[in-house]
Amino acid sequence: MTENDRLRERIAAELAAARDRTTLLTTIVDEADLVRQHSPLMSPLVWDLAHVANQEELWLLREVGGRTPMHPEIDPLYDAFEHPRAKRPSLPLLQPDEARSYGHEVRGRVMDLLNRIDFNRIEGPEAPRQGGWGAGAPHAGGHRGVGPRGLAEFAFGMIAQHEQQHDETMLATHQLRVGAAVLSAPPPPPAPADAAALPAEVYVPGGPFTMGTSTEPWALDNERPAHVVDVPAFYLDTTPVTNAAYADFIADGGYDDPRWWTAEGWAHRQRAGLRAPLFWRWEGEWVRVSFGIANPIIPNEPVLHVCWYEADAYARWAGRRLPSEAEWEKAARYDPVSGRSRRYPWGEETPSPSLANLGQRHLAPAPAGSYPAGESPSGARQLIGDVWEWTSSDFLPYPGFVAWPYKEYSEVFFGPEYKVLRGGAFGVSPVACRGTFRNWDYPIRRQIFAGFRTARPAPERAS
Ligand SMILES: [Fe+2]
C-alpha cells in the first residue's frame, strides 16, 4: 500500500466516522425536534446537518476539486458568519429530508474525488477562494513549506474535524434539549485502584518548552507555529476538579462571597443568578441532569458545565489559580527526559479507549484519576478527554501566526473577550483533539462540556 493509499484510507475512515455520529445524533430525535431550537445558544439540529454538507462541498468539491457549486443559493443560509445562531430557526432552511439528501450527494462526490486523488501529484486548488489559501498568499510562518499537497491533505482533515466539531455541538444541543431521554451509552469504567492515593498535585519544572506545532498536518492555524515559551515551575492539580470539591465551594458560600470573584465575574454571577453548575439542582442533595436523566451527582466525577468565572472563583477560594494555557500545554506535552514536546500526554500514539475518554463513547467524564496509561510525564491524568479545561489565558495568536485557510477560522476571534479551553472532552472526537488543540469561548458560557483544574506557582528547585 502506498503512502497515498494510506492517507486516502485514513481520510475515508475519518469522514465515515464523523457521518456515522452525525446520523445518529440527527435520527434519534423526531423531525419536530430536528427543526426546533432547543436553546438560543444553539442552532436547530437541521441547520448543523446541512451546514456540515455545505462546508464539505465548499472546501472539498469546489476548492480542492474545482467543481461548480451544486446549490449556490443555499450558501448564505449556512454561512455561520452571516446568521447568528439565535436567528437561524427563522431562515428558509432545507427540510430534514432535503438536508440529508444534500449531505448524501456531497459525500458521494467527495468519495469519487478522494478515490481519484493523488496527493503527491496535486497542482493546487483550481478555484481559489477570495482571500483563501489559493489566493497566492505566501504561506509563511505557521505554514511555511506547506505545498499544494499539504493544502489538499489539510482540507480533508479540516472537513473531518469540522463535522466532528459539529457532532460535539449537536451533543451539547442534546444536553440542552428538554424531553424524554433518547441518547444512551455505557458509563465510563470505575476509577482505577490507585486513584484515591494519587497526590493532589504534580510538579512541573521551570524552563523553556516548545508550544504549538509546525508539523502536525491537520493542526489548525491557531495551533501554529511551534515556538519556545519559558514557563516558571508550578504545581498543577493531578486531575480535574471533582463534583465533591465543587460542592464544598458551594456549601462554603462560594457563590455569596465577592472576595472569590473578579468584578466582572461577580456582576455576571448576580445578573445571571448563578448558584451552582448548569444542570445541577438541589433536591436535599445535588442532582445533575445529564441527557434527560436526573441522578445525584457522582462525587469523584470531574465537575462539568461551569463557566470561566465560576472556575476562576473556585480557584481563588481554594487559594490557587487557573493554569495559563502555556502551563497547561507544558504539563501535558513536555517530556523532561528528552526535552521535547509530545503529541499527547502519553506520547505519539493516537488516542485509544485505554488512553482517554473521547469520541462520545461515554456520555459523561470518567472518575478523577482514570486513564493511568494516558498520564503525562508530569504525572497529571485526564488532560486529554473527559472535560474541556478552562485556562486563565485570552485567545491570542502565537508569534508568527498566519491566518489559514481563511481569516474567519481563528483570527477574527483573537482578543481578550475569549478564554482558551484545552484538552477536549468526552464529546470530542480524537481527530479534533491534540496536545496542541485550542478551543475558545466567552467566559460566561456553560453549555460546553467544560470543567477545569487549578494551579499554583512553585519555587524553583535547586539544581
Ligand atoms: Fe461550522
Side-chain angles (χ1 to χ4, degrees), residues 51 55 162 166:
H51 166 79
Q55 289 289 301
H162 178 254
H166 277 272

Side-chain angles (χ1 to χ4, degrees), residues 32-86:
D33 257 350
L34 275 182
V35 299
R36 180 176 300 141
Q37 188 167 42
H38 298 279
S39 156
L41 293 175
M42 311 307 277
S43 313
L45 292 166
V46 74
W47 185 90
D48 292 278
L49 192 55
H51 166 79
V52 295
N54 187 241
Q55 289 289 301
E56 186 168 322
E57 192 210 332
L58 274 169
W59 287 100
L60 299 184
L61 297 183
R62 300 189 210 171
E63 293 287 327
V64 175
R67 307 295 154 80
T68 52
M70 289 163 66
H71 308 286
E73 71 283 0
I74 66 168
D75 287 353
L77 298 175
Y78 297 103
D79 184 331
F81 286 89
E82 271 194 45
H83 309 284
R85 285 178 178 177

Side-chain angles (χ1 to χ4, degrees), residues 66-372:
R67 307 295 154 80
T68 52
M70 289 163 66
H71 308 286
E73 71 283 0
I74 66 168
D75 287 353
L77 298 175
Y78 297 103
D79 184 331
F81 286 89
E82 271 194 45
H83 309 284
R85 285 178 178 177
K87 296 275 189 298
R88 290 173 192 167
S90 57
L91 299 172
L93 300 176
L94 297 184
Q95 291 304 298
D97 54 342
E98 297 170 323
R100 283 193 193 102
S101 57
Y102 173 49
H104 188 72
E105 203 182 338
V106 171
R107 181 54 61 87
R109 295 183 192 196
V110 163
M111 293 317 289
D112 287 344
L113 176 67
L114 182 62
N115 287 334
R116 280 187 287 105
I117 210 162
D118 183 345
F119 286 100
N120 299 316
R121 298 193 48 171
I122 288 174
E123 307 268 297
E126 288 171 31
R129 182 181 159 112
Q130 189 70 33
W133 60 21
H139 294 297
H143 290 80
R144 184 175 289 123
V146 174
R149 178 215 147 111
L151 295 171
E153 183 182 344
F154 175 78
F156 279 99
M158 179 179 80
I159 286 302
Q161 289 181 72
H162 178 254
E163 182 160 347
Q164 287 283 11
Q165 284 166 333
H166 277 272
D167 292 339
E168 180 194 357
T169 305
M170 288 193 278
L171 189 70
T173 304
H174 271 271
Q175 169 65 359
L176 287 158
R177 171 185 163 271
V178 175
V182 292
L183 286 173
S184 65
D194 71 345
L198 288 172
E201 57 184 6
V202 299
Y203 176 79
V204 181
F209 91 106
T210 301
M211 186 172 183
T213 177
S214 298
T215 52
E216 190 70 45
W218 289 355
L220 302 163
D221 61 358
N222 62 63
E223 298 167 68
R224 300 169 183 265
H227 59 290
V228 173
V229 181
D230 200 350
V231 179
F234 67 102
Y235 287 100
L236 182 70
D237 290 343
T238 307
T239 73
V241 169
T242 62
N243 286 331
Y246 199 84
D248 286 346
F249 166 64
I250 302 174
D252 196 39
Y255 279 87
D256 302 313
D257 194 335
R259 274 183 304 163
W260 312 134
W261 301 73
T262 61
E264 311 84 67
W266 183 246
H268 175 68
R269 130 83 192 95
Q270 290 179 294
R271 201 171 38 237
L274 303 185
R275 309 289 314 168
L278 187 60
F279 308 117
W280 281 33
R281 59 181 192 231
W282 181 256
E283 294 180 359
E285 62 181 336
W286 284 114
V287 167
R288 181 168 100 82
V289 180
S290 176
F291 300 101
I293 297 172
N295 271 311
I297 56 165
I298 299 172
N300 65 346
E301 185 180 87
V303 68
L304 197 56
H305 298 297
V306 287
C307 70
W308 185 89
Y309 290 130
E310 290 168 299
D312 176 68
Y314 172 96
R316 204 166 288 107
W317 167 80
R320 300 169 68 84
R321 57 173 174 76
L322 293 178
S324 71
E325 183 182 10
E327 286 174 331
W328 189 97
E329 188 169 323
K330 187 174 185 185
R333 297 183 62 213
Y334 178 66
D335 178 353
V337 175
S338 69
R340 285 205 278 273
S341 291
R342 301 171 165 189
R343 289 179 76 197
Y344 299 98
W346 54 84
E348 308 307 300
E349 190 187 332
T350 325
S352 67
S354 67
L355 295 168
N357 179 8
L358 290 165
Q360 304 188 14
R361 205 168 57 243
H362 311 295
L363 294 176
S370 293
Y371 302 103

